[in-house]
Amino acid sequence: MEGHAKGDGSYMSQAFHPDARIFWINDGQVAHRTAEEFASLFTRGPAPDEADRRRRIMSLDITGDVAVAKIELDYPRAYLIDYMSLIRVGGEWKIINKSYTRLAPMTR
């Protein structure tokens, strides 16, 4: 969430496992990128409308060394829901998989 807010991919690199993948649907087709590719998108600093953006963890389910989180990203021009699978490796939680959907603000 901090990486989104600050527009800084180094936060993504810390949060994601190196083998992580991000998935979404683009024009009816499954699209994906690596964690490294995802982190490289965040290089420009905070978005101009950052003051109007909201993010929150909607749910977190932890069992042993695995977890699933649902994250809401409420932006002026988009509403996104992330589902993240996490694993605890060496005592640190890492995102191993992220899938998300992007909805227009009025479809919430």
Side-chain angles (χ1 to χ4, degrees), residues 14-53:
Q14 293 172 38
F16 282 83
H17 187 278
D19 294 328
R21 297 288 183 268
I22 294 88
F23 293 89
W24 69 99
I25 301 296
N26 187 13
D27 293 327
Q29 302 295 314
V30 174
H32 63 89
R33 61 176 49 114
T34 65
E36 184 178 339
E37 291 167 333
F38 182 64
S40 74
L41 300 174
F42 297 88
T43 60
R44 298 184 184 149
D49 62 357
E50 180 56 36
D52 298 323
R53 293 177 174 212

Side-chain angles (χ1 to χ4, degrees), residues 4 16 21-23 38 82-84 95 97-100:
H4 275 272
F16 282 83
R21 297 288 183 268
I22 294 88
F23 293 89
F38 182 64
D82 290 351
Y83 289 92
M84 297 189 188
I95 301 164
N97 179 275
K98 168 183 163 145
S99 55
Y100 73 92

Side-chain angles (χ1 to χ4, degrees), residues 60-73:
L60 180 62
D61 184 2
I62 302 170
T63 305
D65 292 324
V66 298
V68 178
K70 181 178 179 181
I71 313 292
E72 174 186 63
L73 300 107

